[in-house]
Amino acid sequence: MQTWLTLEEFCKLSGKNKKEVLKACKEKELRCKKSEGIIYIEIESLANAVVPVEELEIIESNADIAERTIGMLLTLHEKVLMSKDETIEALKEENRFLKESIYSIQEVYEDSQETIKRLQKQLEICQEELEFCKKKYKLMWRKALDKSEEGEKRR
């Protein structure tokens, strides 16, 4: 299917002035037709007008290089995506491990706090017993001293 543009439209798209386009039409570089006084130019010939033939040949020879480069880039992209997924999975696993470690440390801390409270309570009880024993022995020794003093006074 051929698509035709008016001379003015073609000039706007190609960036060429009317003289250059008409010259290319006369030299058969562009396919042109005249209908009802209006000059039409086939759109497919725009490529020939914009890009010289020598450059088209270079572009075609470089197409293989471009395809290989694109293929290599796609392969590298896939590898990057795979390594990204692996890294994310490793980080998730590490986060799970750290979370479990924190929970374990929290349990040990709570157990330690309970042990400290229990030992403090036992220490208080022991201190109270010690105070009681001290008072008891003071009373006993006071009675013993008082008796010995009475015995000495009687002599």
Side-chain angles (χ1 to χ4, degrees):
M1 181 175 154
Q2 294 179 338
T3 305
W4 297 88
L5 294 174
T6 64
L7 179 61
E8 291 78 21
E9 291 171 336
F10 189 86
C11 289
K12 284 181 187 176
L13 283 176
S14 66
K16 307 261 184 191
N17 62 35
K18 287 182 182 182
K19 287 182 182 179
E20 291 175 320
V21 174
L22 291 173
K23 181 181 175 190
C25 286
K26 287 179 184 174
E27 295 174 359
K28 303 285 185 190
E29 291 176 7
L30 298 173
R31 280 178 248 141
C32 305
K33 71 177 181 178
K34 192 171 189 178
S35 175
E36 299 176 9
I38 300 174
I39 299 173
Y40 292 97
I41 302 161
E42 185 184 17
I43 190 89
E44 290 178 13
S45 59
L46 175 63
N48 295 333
V50 175
V51 182
V53 175
E54 298 85 27
E55 290 182 24
L56 283 175
E57 290 173 359
I58 293 172
I59 290 171
E60 288 174 3
S61 67
N62 289 334
D64 185 45
I65 295 170
E67 285 178 22
R68 282 187 274 146
T69 304
I70 290 171
M72 182 184 68
L73 289 174
L74 288 174
T75 303
L76 289 173
H77 183 9
E78 288 176 14
K79 288 181 180 178
V80 166
L81 288 178
M82 287 189 320
S83 68
K84 178 194 76 147
D85 291 342
E86 290 172 3
T87 303
I88 288 172
E89 196 57 42
L91 289 173
K92 284 182 180 179
E93 187 62 36
E94 184 177 344
N95 282 345
R96 279 192 284 274
F97 172 75
L98 292 173
K99 193 176 188 180
E100 289 172 6
S101 297
I102 289 172
Y103 287 142
S104 176
I105 291 170
Q106 183 68 30
E107 288 177 13
V108 168
Y109 174 77
E110 290 171 359
D111 289 345
S112 297
Q113 290 297 318
E114 289 177 18
T115 303
I116 289 171
K117 286 179 183 177
R118 191 172 52 251
L119 290 173
Q120 284 176 335
K121 186 76 170 173
Q122 288 177 350
L123 181 62
E124 285 177 25
I125 292 171
C126 288
Q127 285 175 338
E128 288 173 3
E129 288 178 3
L130 181 62
E131 286 298 317
F132 175 75
C133 286
K134 281 182 182 178
K135 288 179 183 177
K136 179 180 169 184
Y137 284 115
K138 275 185 183 179
L139 289 173
M140 282 176 49
W141 280 106
R142 200 175 291 151
K143 285 183 183 179
L145 286 175
D146 288 344
K147 285 183 183 179
S148 68
E149 284 178 9
E150 283 179 22
E152 284 181 21
K153 285 183 185 180
R154 283 190 193 163
R155 289 191 195 169

